[in-house]
Amino acid sequence: MISEHHNHVVTTVESVPAEAVTESPTLLQRIRKVFNRELLLTLALGQVLSLLICGIGLTSKYLADDFHANTPVFQSFLNYILLFLVYTTTLAVRQGEENLLAILKRRWWKYMILGLIDIEANYLVIKAYQYTTLTSVQLLDCFVIPVVLLLSWFFLLVRYKAVHFVGVGVCLLGMGCMVGADVLVGRQQGLGDHKLLGDLLVLAGATLYGISNVCEEFIVKNLSRVEFLGMMGLFGSFFSGIQLAIMEHKELLKVPWDWQIGLLYVGFSACMFGLYSFMPVVIRRTSAAAVNLSLLTADLYSLFCGLFLFQYKFSGLYLLSFFIIVLGLILYSSSSTYVAQDPRVYKQFRNAGAPVTDAPTTGPMEPSVTYTSLGQEMEEEPRIRVA
């Protein structure tokens, strides 16, 4: 009995350092888990989208300022036509439930509404530049971020942690720093006439952008990227073509066509098509909120290009704002968001009569799946300590 008791005591005493050894590197492991190759890849993907938006902005500026070609609807129409030719035709040749006609039978009116939202979001923000200043557009366009967060919370049932709100706040602080630098160097472009109307147009466009992005996140994560882009190509080209014929046909006739203008239109269409094609890939990997935070750096890339192309004035605050936004992105990406299980979410875009294989049918509606900016992962089971 004494020997057995002695052995038990020795075993208990020796187990304490073993626990300490396993628990001591927890903080280091957590840091390595955050600052890894996946995080760097996620940040890089977001910056590729920002560079594409920079290309869109530069080509639009050259068209409007140097060649007086104010044709935002026609430029969007070209992008939707490219989407139609590539993705809608892909759906048309597919067989079974993923065929174009099968999708239209089940969800045509939903994609029609989404196509209208996407078209008008682009149009309203571009139109706002005629009435308000660049500074107002940059600030108010950030309204898309709280819109995406709220819609994701209520409709996608995404649940955020305190670190996510801190990351969003830091990103917006960086954006404010950039706008402040614009004011200090006098880069407040735009006439500013009817400023209230312009500001309202930006807020309306940002709201529509948020709705479109959240719907896109749901579709690419639960249905198909090709389906989303194919439907945007179909309805986008149809409705933007009608809008072009009604509102912009006279402006299009005034364009002094030559090879330079043609090259600018090709460059704009290539960047826009790349943005639409690549954004669902990034949203599927991350989320609509993370993508919109990444896009805050697009204005900075446009500014850095403008230093050489348009002789913009430089300020050290621009670099500071860039690093602040990147810091906010890292904070937002450092922790997982989770999605609460609710069968209603899985049925929003599906036919009521179609089988739903991925919808939970039994058990309590508790969070079980996490989505991070690094992809989808299952929550770790709680550690159990045995005395």
Side-chain angles (χ1 to χ4, degrees), residues 130-160:
Q130 299 179 16
Y131 302 103
T132 189
T133 61
L134 174 66
T135 301
S136 295
V137 173
Q138 290 173 333
L139 276 176
L140 296 176
D141 199 35
C142 296
F143 186 66
V144 67
I145 294 174
V147 170
V148 168
L149 292 177
L150 286 174
L151 292 177
S152 298
W153 181 283
F154 288 108
F155 293 100
L156 300 185
L157 302 181
V158 177
R159 297 297 178 257
Y160 302 97

PDB file of all heavy atoms in Angstrom, residues 130-160:
ATOM      1  N   GLN A 130     -20.141  64.199 -60.235  1.00  0.00           N
ATOM      2  CA  GLN A 130     -20.543  65.423 -60.914  1.00  0.00           C
ATOM      3  C   GLN A 130     -21.089  66.471 -59.957  1.00  0.00           C
ATOM      4  O   GLN A 130     -21.177  67.647 -60.305  1.00  0.00           O
ATOM      5  CB  GLN A 130     -21.601  65.104 -61.981  1.00  0.00           C
ATOM      6  CG  GLN A 130     -21.134  64.160 -63.066  1.00  0.00           C
ATOM      7  CD  GLN A 130     -22.222  63.864 -64.079  1.00  0.00           C
ATOM      8  OE1 GLN A 130     -23.226  64.577 -64.143  1.00  0.00           O
ATOM      9  NE2 GLN A 130     -22.032  62.816 -64.878  1.00  0.00           N
ATOM     10  N   TYR A 131     -21.452  66.061 -58.736  1.00  0.00           N
ATOM     11  CA  TYR A 131     -22.128  66.971 -57.819  1.00  0.00           C
ATOM     12  C   TYR A 131     -21.351  67.249 -56.535  1.00  0.00           C
ATOM     13  O   TYR A 131     -21.563  68.279 -55.905  1.00  0.00           O
ATOM     14  CB  TYR A 131     -23.509  66.417 -57.451  1.00  0.00           C
ATOM     15  CG  TYR A 131     -24.402  66.182 -58.635  1.00  0.00           C
ATOM     16  CD1 TYR A 131     -24.615  64.899 -59.124  1.00  0.00           C
ATOM     17  CD2 TYR A 131     -25.017  67.249 -59.272  1.00  0.00           C
ATOM     18  CE1 TYR A 131     -25.443  64.676 -60.216  1.00  0.00           C
ATOM     19  CE2 TYR A 131     -25.836  67.041 -60.377  1.00  0.00           C
ATOM     20  CZ  TYR A 131     -26.045  65.756 -60.838  1.00  0.00           C
ATOM     21  OH  TYR A 131     -26.849  65.544 -61.927  1.00  0.00           O
ATOM     22  N   THR A 132     -20.485  66.349 -56.120  1.00  0.00           N
ATOM     23  CA  THR A 132     -19.783  66.527 -54.851  1.00  0.00           C
ATOM     24  C   THR A 132     -18.291  66.366 -55.068  1.00  0.00           C
ATOM     25  O   THR A 132     -17.825  66.128 -56.185  1.00  0.00           O
ATOM     26  CB  THR A 132     -20.295  65.524 -53.802  1.00  0.00           C
ATOM     27  OG1 THR A 132     -19.746  65.859 -52.522  1.00  0.00           O
ATOM     28  CG2 THR A 132     -19.921  64.111 -54.160  1.00  0.00           C
ATOM     29  N   THR A 133     -17.523  66.516 -53.992  1.00  0.00           N
ATOM     30  CA  THR A 133     -16.066  66.478 -54.094  1.00  0.00           C
ATOM     31  C   THR A 133     -15.538  65.066 -53.935  1.00  0.00           C
ATOM     32  O   THR A 133     -16.220  64.167 -53.421  1.00  0.00           O
ATOM     33  CB  THR A 133     -15.439  67.363 -53.003  1.00  0.00           C
ATOM     34  OG1 THR A 133     -15.813  66.858 -51.710  1.00  0.00           O
ATOM     35  CG2 THR A 133     -15.912  68.801 -53.129  1.00  0.00           C
ATOM     36  N   LEU A 134     -14.283  64.884 -54.370  1.00  0.00           N
ATOM     37  CA  LEU A 134     -13.626  63.590 -54.233  1.00  0.00           C
ATOM     38  C   LEU A 134     -13.537  63.180 -52.773  1.00  0.00           C
ATOM     39  O   LEU A 134     -13.723  62.009 -52.423  1.00  0.00           O
ATOM     40  CB  LEU A 134     -12.238  63.652 -54.861  1.00  0.00           C
ATOM     41  CG  LEU A 134     -11.349  62.423 -54.681  1.00  0.00           C
ATOM     42  CD1 LEU A 134     -11.929  61.237 -55.425  1.00  0.00           C
ATOM     43  CD2 LEU A 134      -9.935  62.707 -55.164  1.00  0.00           C
ATOM     44  N   THR A 135     -13.273  64.145 -51.881  1.00  0.00           N
ATOM     45  CA  THR A 135     -13.151  63.846 -50.451  1.00  0.00           C
ATOM     46  C   THR A 135     -14.450  63.275 -49.899  1.00  0.00           C
ATOM     47  O   THR A 135     -14.447  62.302 -49.144  1.00  0.00           O
ATOM     48  CB  THR A 135     -12.764  65.123 -49.680  1.00  0.00           C
ATOM     49  OG1 THR A 135     -11.535  65.624 -50.180  1.00  0.00           O
ATOM     50  CG2 THR A 135     -12.619  64.838 -48.200  1.00  0.00           C
ATOM     51  N   SER A 136     -15.572  63.881 -50.286  1.00  0.00           N
ATOM     52  CA  SER A 136     -16.866  63.378 -49.807  1.00  0.00           C
ATOM     53  C   SER A 136     -17.142  61.972 -50.322  1.00  0.00           C
ATOM     54  O   SER A 136     -17.650  61.114 -49.588  1.00  0.00           O
ATOM     55  CB  SER A 136     -17.984  64.328 -50.248  1.00  0.00           C
ATOM     56  OG  SER A 136     -17.856  65.582 -49.636  1.00  0.00           O
ATOM     57  N   VAL A 137     -16.805  61.722 -51.576  1.00  0.00           N
ATOM     58  CA  VAL A 137     -17.030  60.387 -52.146  1.00  0.00           C
ATOM     59  C   VAL A 137     -16.198  59.351 -51.403  1.00  0.00           C
ATOM     60  O   VAL A 137     -16.685  58.265 -51.055  1.00  0.00           O
ATOM     61  CB  VAL A 137     -16.702  60.379 -53.650  1.00  0.00           C
ATOM     62  CG1 VAL A 137     -16.773  58.955 -54.202  1.00  0.00           C
ATOM     63  CG2 VAL A 137     -17.658  61.273 -54.415  1.00  0.00           C
ATOM     64  N   GLN A 138     -14.927  59.681 -51.122  1.00  0.00           N
ATOM     65  CA  GLN A 138     -14.054  58.734 -50.433  1.00  0.00           C
ATOM     66  C   GLN A 138     -14.563  58.420 -49.036  1.00  0.00           C
ATOM     67  O   GLN A 138     -14.546  57.269 -48.591  1.00  0.00           O
ATOM     68  CB  GLN A 138     -12.634  59.299 -50.361  1.00  0.00           C
ATOM     69  CG  GLN A 138     -11.921  59.343 -51.706  1.00  0.00           C
ATOM     70  CD  GLN A 138     -10.599  60.062 -51.619  1.00  0.00           C
ATOM     71  OE1 GLN A 138     -10.401  60.934 -50.771  1.00  0.00           O
ATOM     72  NE2 GLN A 138      -9.678  59.723 -52.508  1.00  0.00           N
ATOM     73  N   LEU A 139     -15.026  59.447 -48.318  1.00  0.00           N
ATOM     74  CA  LEU A 139     -15.503  59.228 -46.953  1.00  0.00           C
ATOM     75  C   LEU A 139     -16.827  58.477 -46.932  1.00  0.00           C
ATOM     76  O   LEU A 139     -16.979  57.474 -46.228  1.00  0.00           O
ATOM     77  CB  LEU A 139     -15.661  60.582 -46.238  1.00  0.00           C
ATOM     78  CG  LEU A 139     -14.404  61.173 -45.607  1.00  0.00           C
ATOM     79  CD1 LEU A 139     -14.715  62.548 -45.028  1.00  0.00           C
ATOM     80  CD2 LEU A 139     -13.862  60.263 -44.505  1.00  0.00           C
ATOM     81  N   LEU A 140     -17.787  58.955 -47.719  1.00  0.00           N
ATOM     82  CA  LEU A 140     -19.126  58.368 -47.665  1.00  0.00           C
ATOM     83  C   LEU A 140     -19.170  56.984 -48.293  1.00  0.00           C
ATOM     84  O   LEU A 140     -20.039  56.171 -47.942  1.00  0.00           O
ATOM     85  CB  LEU A 140     -20.120  59.305 -48.359  1.00  0.00           C
ATOM     86  CG  LEU A 140     -20.300  60.669 -47.688  1.00  0.00           C
ATOM     87  CD1 LEU A 140     -21.227  61.554 -48.512  1.00  0.00           C
ATOM     88  CD2 LEU A 140     -20.841  60.518 -46.275  1.00  0.00           C
ATOM     89  N   ASP A 141     -18.243  56.693 -49.204  1.00  0.00           N
ATOM     90  CA  ASP A 141     -18.219  55.359 -49.814  1.00  0.00           C
ATOM     91  C   ASP A 141     -17.863  54.284 -48.790  1.00  0.00           C
ATOM     92  O   ASP A 141     -18.153  53.103 -49.002  1.00  0.00           O
ATOM     93  CB  ASP A 141     -17.224  55.342 -50.984  1.00  0.00           C
ATOM     94  CG  ASP A 141     -17.474  54.178 -51.918  1.00  0.00           C
ATOM     95  OD1 ASP A 141     -18.647  53.815 -52.116  1.00  0.00           O
ATOM     96  OD2 ASP A 141     -16.505  53.620 -52.459  1.00  0.00           O
ATOM     97  N   CYS A 142     -17.236  54.689 -47.685  1.00  0.00           N
ATOM     98  CA  CYS A 142     -16.944  53.737 -46.606  1.00  0.00           C
ATOM     99  C   CYS A 142     -18.215  53.238 -45.924  1.00  0.00           C
ATOM    100  O   CYS A 142     -18.167  52.292 -45.122  1.00  0.00           O
ATOM    101  CB  CYS A 142     -16.027  54.375 -45.563  1.00  0.00           C
ATOM    102  SG  CYS A 142     -14.389  54.807 -46.170  1.00  0.00           S
ATOM    103  N   PHE A 143     -19.348  53.885 -46.212  1.00  0.00           N
ATOM    104  CA  PHE A 143     -20.624  53.456 -45.636  1.00  0.00           C
ATOM    105  C   PHE A 143     -20.965  52.023 -46.022  1.00  0.00           C
ATOM    106  O   PHE A 143     -21.766  51.363 -45.354  1.00  0.00           O
ATOM    107  CB  PHE A 143     -21.733  54.416 -46.096  1.00  0.00           C
ATOM    108  CG  PHE A 143     -23.071  54.158 -45.465  1.00  0.00           C
ATOM    109  CD1 PHE A 143     -23.260  54.340 -44.101  1.00  0.00           C
ATOM    110  CD2 PHE A 143     -24.143  53.729 -46.235  1.00  0.00           C
ATOM    111  CE1 PHE A 143     -24.488  54.105 -43.511  1.00  0.00           C
ATOM    112  CE2 PHE A 143     -25.382  53.492 -45.660  1.00  0.00           C
ATOM    113  CZ  PHE A 143     -25.552  53.677 -44.298  1.00  0.00           C
ATOM    114  N   VAL A 144     -20.336  51.512 -47.092  1.00  0.00           N
ATOM    115  CA  VAL A 144     -20.587  50.140 -47.519  1.00  0.00           C
ATOM    116  C   VAL A 144     -20.161  49.139 -46.445  1.00  0.00           C
ATOM    117  O   VAL A 144     -20.759  48.057 -46.320  1.00  0.00           O
ATOM    118  CB  VAL A 144     -19.851  49.850 -48.856  1.00  0.00           C
ATOM    119  CG1 VAL A 144     -18.346  49.859 -48.661  1.00  0.00           C
ATOM    120  CG2 VAL A 144     -20.295  48.516 -49.444  1.00  0.00           C
ATOM    121  N   ILE A 145     -19.173  49.493 -45.625  1.00  0.00           N
ATOM    122  CA  ILE A 145     -18.660  48.552 -44.622  1.00  0.00           C
ATOM    123  C   ILE A 145     -19.683  48.278 -43.526  1.00  0.00           C
ATOM    124  O   ILE A 145     -19.996  47.105 -43.247  1.00  0.00           O
ATOM    125  CB  ILE A 145     -17.322  49.057 -44.052  1.00  0.00           C
ATOM    126  CG1 ILE A 145     -16.268  49.045 -45.167  1.00  0.00           C
ATOM    127  CG2 ILE A 145     -16.861  48.197 -42.878  1.00  0.00           C
ATOM    128  CD1 ILE A 145     -14.956  49.645 -44.781  1.00  0.00           C
ATOM    129  N   PRO A 146     -20.254  49.304 -42.844  1.00  0.00           N
ATOM    130  CA  PRO A 146     -21.306  48.977 -41.867  1.00  0.00           C
ATOM    131  C   PRO A 146     -22.525  48.316 -42.496  1.00  0.00           C
ATOM    132  O   PRO A 146     -23.178  47.484 -41.855  1.00  0.00           O
ATOM    133  CB  PRO A 146     -21.665  50.335 -41.252  1.00  0.00           C
ATOM    134  CG  PRO A 146     -21.109  51.363 -42.169  1.00  0.00           C
ATOM    135  CD  PRO A 146     -19.912  50.737 -42.809  1.00  0.00           C
ATOM    136  N   VAL A 147     -22.835  48.648 -43.762  1.00  0.00           N
ATOM    137  CA  VAL A 147     -23.960  47.989 -44.439  1.00  0.00           C
ATOM    138  C   VAL A 147     -23.689  46.494 -44.569  1.00  0.00           C
ATOM    139  O   VAL A 147     -24.552  45.656 -44.264  1.00  0.00           O
ATOM    140  CB  VAL A 147     -24.212  48.623 -45.823  1.00  0.00           C
ATOM    141  CG1 VAL A 147     -25.217  47.790 -46.612  1.00  0.00           C
ATOM    142  CG2 VAL A 147     -24.729  50.048 -45.669  1.00  0.00           C
ATOM    143  N   VAL A 148     -22.479  46.131 -44.997  1.00  0.00           N
ATOM    144  CA  VAL A 148     -22.115  44.723 -45.156  1.00  0.00           C
ATOM    145  C   VAL A 148     -22.126  44.006 -43.803  1.00  0.00           C
ATOM    146  O   VAL A 148     -22.611  42.871 -43.691  1.00  0.00           O
ATOM    147  CB  VAL A 148     -20.737  44.596 -45.830  1.00  0.00           C
ATOM    148  CG1 VAL A 148     -20.215  43.166 -45.732  1.00  0.00           C
ATOM    149  CG2 VAL A 148     -20.827  45.008 -47.297  1.00  0.00           C
ATOM    150  N   LEU A 149     -21.610  44.657 -42.767  1.00  0.00           N
ATOM    151  CA  LEU A 149     -21.582  44.032 -41.444  1.00  0.00           C
ATOM    152  C   LEU A 149     -22.995  43.760 -40.933  1.00  0.00           C
ATOM    153  O   LEU A 149     -23.277  42.672 -40.401  1.00  0.00           O
ATOM    154  CB  LEU A 149     -20.830  44.931 -40.462  1.00  0.00           C
ATOM    155  CG  LEU A 149     -19.324  45.099 -40.689  1.00  0.00           C
ATOM    156  CD1 LEU A 149     -18.743  46.086 -39.682  1.00  0.00           C
ATOM    157  CD2 LEU A 149     -18.599  43.766 -40.584  1.00  0.00           C
ATOM    158  N   LEU A 150     -23.882  44.734 -41.090  1.00  0.00           N
ATOM    159  CA  LEU A 150     -25.254  44.560 -40.600  1.00  0.00           C
ATOM    160  C   LEU A 150     -25.999  43.484 -41.395  1.00  0.00           C
ATOM    161  O   LEU A 150     -26.679  42.628 -40.812  1.00  0.00           O
ATOM    162  CB  LEU A 150     -26.005  45.890 -40.684  1.00  0.00           C
ATOM    163  CG  LEU A 150     -25.634  46.949 -39.637  1.00  0.00           C
ATOM    164  CD1 LEU A 150     -26.351  48.259 -39.931  1.00  0.00           C
ATOM    165  CD2 LEU A 150     -25.985  46.465 -38.239  1.00  0.00           C
ATOM    166  N   LEU A 151     -25.883  43.533 -42.719  1.00  0.00           N
ATOM    167  CA  LEU A 151     -26.578  42.538 -43.533  1.00  0.00           C
ATOM    168  C   LEU A 151     -26.024  41.138 -43.284  1.00  0.00           C
ATOM    169  O   LEU A 151     -26.785  40.157 -43.266  1.00  0.00           O
ATOM    170  CB  LEU A 151     -26.455  42.901 -45.011  1.00  0.00           C
ATOM    171  CG  LEU A 151     -27.197  44.168 -45.460  1.00  0.00           C
ATOM    172  CD1 LEU A 151     -26.930  44.444 -46.929  1.00  0.00           C
ATOM    173  CD2 LEU A 151     -28.694  44.035 -45.205  1.00  0.00           C
ATOM    174  N   SER A 152     -24.703  41.034 -43.101  1.00  0.00           N
ATOM    175  CA  SER A 152     -24.111  39.730 -42.804  1.00  0.00           C
ATOM    176  C   SER A 152     -24.602  39.199 -41.459  1.00  0.00           C
ATOM    177  O   SER A 152     -24.828  37.995 -41.291  1.00  0.00           O
ATOM    178  CB  SER A 152     -22.583  39.829 -42.806  1.00  0.00           C
ATOM    179  OG  SER A 152     -22.095  40.213 -44.067  1.00  0.00           O
ATOM    180  N   TRP A 153     -24.768  40.097 -40.491  1.00  0.00           N
ATOM    181  CA  TRP A 153     -25.230  39.695 -39.160  1.00  0.00           C
ATOM    182  C   TRP A 153     -26.669  39.162 -39.221  1.00  0.00           C
ATOM    183  O   TRP A 153     -26.978  38.109 -38.661  1.00  0.00           O
ATOM    184  CB  TRP A 153     -25.144  40.881 -38.208  1.00  0.00           C
ATOM    185  CG  TRP A 153     -25.585  40.570 -36.799  1.00  0.00           C
ATOM    186  CD1 TRP A 153     -26.875  40.442 -36.339  1.00  0.00           C
ATOM    187  CD2 TRP A 153     -24.745  40.322 -35.667  1.00  0.00           C
ATOM    188  NE1 TRP A 153     -26.887  40.160 -35.004  1.00  0.00           N
ATOM    189  CE2 TRP A 153     -25.597  40.076 -34.556  1.00  0.00           C
ATOM    190  CE3 TRP A 153     -23.368  40.308 -35.480  1.00  0.00           C
ATOM    191  CZ2 TRP A 153     -25.103  39.811 -33.295  1.00  0.00           C
ATOM    192  CZ3 TRP A 153     -22.880  40.045 -34.209  1.00  0.00           C
ATOM    193  CH2 TRP A 153     -23.741  39.793 -33.131  1.00  0.00           C
ATOM    194  N   PHE A 154     -27.558  39.887 -39.905  1.00  0.00           N
ATOM    195  CA  PHE A 154     -28.976  39.533 -39.869  1.00  0.00           C
ATOM    196  C   PHE A 154     -29.364  38.474 -40.897  1.00  0.00           C
ATOM    197  O   PHE A 154     -30.253  37.655 -40.630  1.00  0.00           O
ATOM    198  CB  PHE A 154     -29.831  40.790 -40.079  1.00  0.00           C
ATOM    199  CG  PHE A 154     -29.833  41.721 -38.906  1.00  0.00           C
ATOM    200  CD1 PHE A 154     -29.157  42.927 -38.959  1.00  0.00           C
ATOM    201  CD2 PHE A 154     -30.495  41.384 -37.733  1.00  0.00           C
ATOM    202  CE1 PHE A 154     -29.148  43.791 -37.874  1.00  0.00           C
ATOM    203  CE2 PHE A 154     -30.488  42.236 -36.636  1.00  0.00           C
ATOM    204  CZ  PHE A 154     -29.815  43.444 -36.704  1.00  0.00           C
ATOM    205  N   PHE A 155     -28.718  38.474 -42.073  1.00  0.00           N
ATOM    206  CA  PHE A 155     -29.159  37.562 -43.132  1.00  0.00           C
ATOM    207  C   PHE A 155     -28.229  36.359 -43.309  1.00  0.00           C
ATOM    208  O   PHE A 155     -28.698  35.274 -43.638  1.00  0.00           O
ATOM    209  CB  PHE A 155     -29.293  38.321 -44.455  1.00  0.00           C
ATOM    210  CG  PHE A 155     -30.401  39.335 -44.440  1.00  0.00           C
ATOM    211  CD1 PHE A 155     -30.126  40.673 -44.230  1.00  0.00           C
ATOM    212  CD2 PHE A 155     -31.720  38.947 -44.602  1.00  0.00           C
ATOM    213  CE1 PHE A 155     -31.143  41.614 -44.200  1.00  0.00           C
ATOM    214  CE2 PHE A 155     -32.748  39.882 -44.579  1.00  0.00           C
ATOM    215  CZ  PHE A 155     -32.457  41.220 -44.374  1.00  0.00           C
ATOM    216  N   LEU A 156     -26.930  36.544 -43.137  1.00  0.00           N
ATOM    217  CA  LEU A 156     -26.002  35.412 -43.209  1.00  0.00           C
ATOM    218  C   LEU A 156     -25.684  34.848 -41.834  1.00  0.00           C
ATOM    219  O   LEU A 156     -24.984  33.849 -41.719  1.00  0.00           O
ATOM    220  CB  LEU A 156     -24.696  35.832 -43.898  1.00  0.00           C
ATOM    221  CG  LEU A 156     -24.824  36.352 -45.333  1.00  0.00           C
ATOM    222  CD1 LEU A 156     -23.442  36.618 -45.922  1.00  0.00           C
ATOM    223  CD2 LEU A 156     -25.582  35.369 -46.209  1.00  0.00           C
ATOM    224  N   LEU A 157     -26.209  35.506 -40.773  1.00  0.00           N
ATOM    225  CA  LEU A 157     -26.029  35.064 -39.380  1.00  0.00           C
ATOM    226  C   LEU A 157     -24.554  34.980 -38.987  1.00  0.00           C
ATOM    227  O   LEU A 157     -24.162  34.116 -38.204  1.00  0.00           O
ATOM    228  CB  LEU A 157     -26.715  33.707 -39.158  1.00  0.00           C
ATOM    229  CG  LEU A 157     -28.214  33.671 -39.451  1.00  0.00           C
ATOM    230  CD1 LEU A 157     -28.779  32.292 -39.162  1.00  0.00           C
ATOM    231  CD2 LEU A 157     -28.963  34.726 -38.672  1.00  0.00           C
ATOM    232  N   VAL A 158     -23.742  35.883 -39.533  1.00  0.00           N
ATOM    233  CA  VAL A 158     -22.333  35.947 -39.149  1.00  0.00           C
ATOM    234  C   VAL A 158     -22.238  36.645 -37.796  1.00  0.00           C
ATOM    235  O   VAL A 158     -22.879  37.675 -37.575  1.00  0.00           O
ATOM    236  CB  VAL A 158     -21.509  36.712 -40.204  1.00  0.00           C
ATOM    237  CG1 VAL A 158     -20.060  36.826 -39.766  1.00  0.00           C
ATOM    238  CG2 VAL A 158     -21.603  36.003 -41.552  1.00  0.00           C
ATOM    239  N   ARG A 159     -21.445  36.103 -36.917  1.00  0.00           N
ATOM    240  CA  ARG A 159     -21.259  36.685 -35.582  1.00  0.00           C
ATOM    241  C   ARG A 159     -19.808  37.132 -35.439  1.00  0.00           C
ATOM    242  O   ARG A 159     -18.879  36.362 -35.697  1.00  0.00           O
ATOM    243  CB  ARG A 159     -21.630  35.667 -34.490  1.00  0.00           C
ATOM    244  CG  ARG A 159     -23.103  35.255 -34.529  1.00  0.00           C
ATOM    245  CD  ARG A 159     -24.010  36.451 -34.255  1.00  0.00           C
ATOM    246  NE  ARG A 159     -25.420  36.091 -34.328  1.00  0.00           N
ATOM    247  CZ  ARG A 159     -26.205  36.371 -35.355  1.00  0.00           C
ATOM    248  NH1 ARG A 159     -25.696  36.993 -36.424  1.00  0.00           N
ATOM    249  NH2 ARG A 159     -27.480  36.036 -35.336  1.00  0.00           N
ATOM    250  N   TYR A 160     -19.625  38.369 -35.012  1.00  0.00           N
ATOM    251  CA  TYR A 160     -18.302  38.973 -34.923  1.00  0.00           C
ATOM    252  C   TYR A 160     -17.831  39.045 -33.478  1.00  0.00           C
ATOM    253  O   TYR A 160     -18.629  39.008 -32.537  1.00  0.00           O
ATOM    254  CB  TYR A 160     -18.319  40.383 -35.523  1.00  0.00           C
ATOM    255  CG  TYR A 160     -18.756  40.430 -36.962  1.00  0.00           C
ATOM    256  CD1 TYR A 160     -20.076  40.736 -37.296  1.00  0.00           C
ATOM    257  CD2 TYR A 160     -17.865  40.154 -37.991  1.00  0.00           C
ATOM    258  CE1 TYR A 160     -20.488  40.767 -38.614  1.00  0.00           C
ATOM    259  CE2 TYR A 160     -18.272  40.191 -39.311  1.00  0.00           C
ATOM    260  CZ  TYR A 160     -19.584  40.494 -39.617  1.00  0.00           C
ATOM    261  OH  TYR A 160     -19.981  40.526 -40.924  1.00  0.00           O
TER     262      TYR A 160
END
